[in-house]
Amino acid sequence: MQASDSTTRSIGGIDVARIAELRETEARTFRKARPKSEAKVGNGMAGFLGGVPMHWMTDWPTPFPILVDGAKGATITDIDGNRLDDFCLGDTGSMLGHSPAPVARAIRRQAARGLTYMLPSEDALAIGPLLQQRFGLPYWQIATTATDANRFALRVARAVTGREKILVFNGCYHGSVDETMVRLIDGKPVNRPGLAGEFRDLTRATRIVEFNDIAALEAALGERDVACVITEPVLTNSCMVLPEPGFHDALRRLTRAAGTLLLIDETHTISTGPGGYTRKYGLEPDLFVLGKPVAGGVPASIWGMSEEVAARYGAYNRTKEPGYSGMGTTLSANPLQFAAMHATLEEVMTEEAYAHMDRLARRLDAGLTAVIDRYKLPWHVARVGARVEFICAPGPLKNGGEAEKAHTPELEAAIHVALVNRGVLIAPFHNMMLISPATTAAQVSRLITAFGAVAARLTA
Ligand SMILES: Cc1ncc(COP(=O)(O)O)c(C=O)c1O
């Protein structure tokens, strides 16, 4: 697989000069439509390091960040009055739509009753059983980000197994969890390139193999010194890599045989259904994490564990020396999170909502694939439920190493800005599009039409 071909000077099958030309003209169009925004943020925002309050805001390929006036449902509006069909949806944080009505009501109700107490409220009484029923694990904790939930769950895994090492798959992302920041480069485990201020050799305690490589997984677990495998059921953070038939069965069988726990991170694959990929495909994790949309956009995450892990953790706690466990943050499990999560689980993440999301995601998948076929592009589309991705390389991709090579940043940047200029916003880091319960068929049609127009420009 070769997304970029230096001899013909093409990237993803598109001539580089044409990509540069598209990037330039689309940047001009973007600016022209946003005079107010450019005046306010064109030279960065005062008082912020790098001109933005969070450095990812400069990772968008637009000439300057879109300055948002507001968002509702699956539409986002900037201060110049440009309306965009939002398929980025806060990179999954608002996968259930912007300000779903039940969540907005719950926030309003809680806003007058205190925002954080370090004590439970009555909403919390409902959430425990809801999580048990939905995700099938008996014991839960609430944290504020998926990053934290993963960190805490990994701590429990190490505590109960008495093992230091974890195992990740190449190309993984589980938030800014230090020990997962490892990559395979030319077959060799190394610290993920680009880490700031990291002076430890993370490969000392983290094994890494390619996704879908059962033999490598078996060998890596063979020494029986790995506490936990942490993975998404589908790799969604390096393009999109689907599990091959039998992979999850093998993963579960091999982890059990090695006395290694299995942590399934559903933060992105919750696009599959109301119980995530785990429920739909009958996975049997020991530990489970979900962040981002679980409270409808209010920062919150959940992490759960099996009966057996809970029993082992109880035994561990009875023998460990007293003191801070290293888990927990002050604002976690606050009443605003409970209120928003209760409303989300009960009224927003419903079977009907997911049926709608799935239907439109299928339509989007088919529409984008038809465009790719029409223009004979060497690209493909992958999907996990309501999460769709077009990849500017042939597919399907087998693992993170292949996904890395399939990435085409220059081409993707040109396409993203061209889509914005045609009224469509997709996720900035790769070509991810989400369907929310509020997304309409008309919005999906507009995205397919816009994608077709950009493909026509690129291949004319
Ligand atoms: C699979 C997965 N897990 C965890 C995270 C971390 O989420 P957060 O940044 O909200 O901590 C992400 C973020 O993209 C993710 O994709």
Side-chain angles (χ1 to χ4, degrees), residues 56 91 145-148 150 173-176 232 236-237 265-268 292:
W56 284 345
D91 194 13
T145 63
T147 298
D148 279 345
N150 279 323
Y173 185 70
H174 298 285
S176 49
E232 294 185 89
T236 68
N237 282 289
D265 179 353
E266 287 269 12
T267 298
H268 276 183
K292 297 199 185 183

Side-chain angles (χ1 to χ4, degrees), residues 283-324:
L283 305 188
E284 295 174 3
D286 302 295
L287 294 152
F288 179 104
V289 163
L290 168 60
K292 297 199 185 183
V294 70
V298 170
S301 60
I302 53 168
W303 56 288
M305 64 185 77
S306 67
E307 196 74 55
E308 189 202 326
V309 173
R312 289 169 71 185
Y313 189 50
Y316 170 84
N317 271 322
R318 284 191 288 281
T319 56
K320 98 169 172 66
E321 62 185 343
Y324 177 52

Side-chain angles (χ1 to χ4, degrees), residues 29-45:
T29 308
F30 178 90
R31 286 204 145 90
K32 213 165 146 207
R34 290 172 179 80
K36 280 201 229 163
S37 307
E38 182 155 26
K40 286 185 195 270
V41 296
N43 292 317
M45 299 164 71

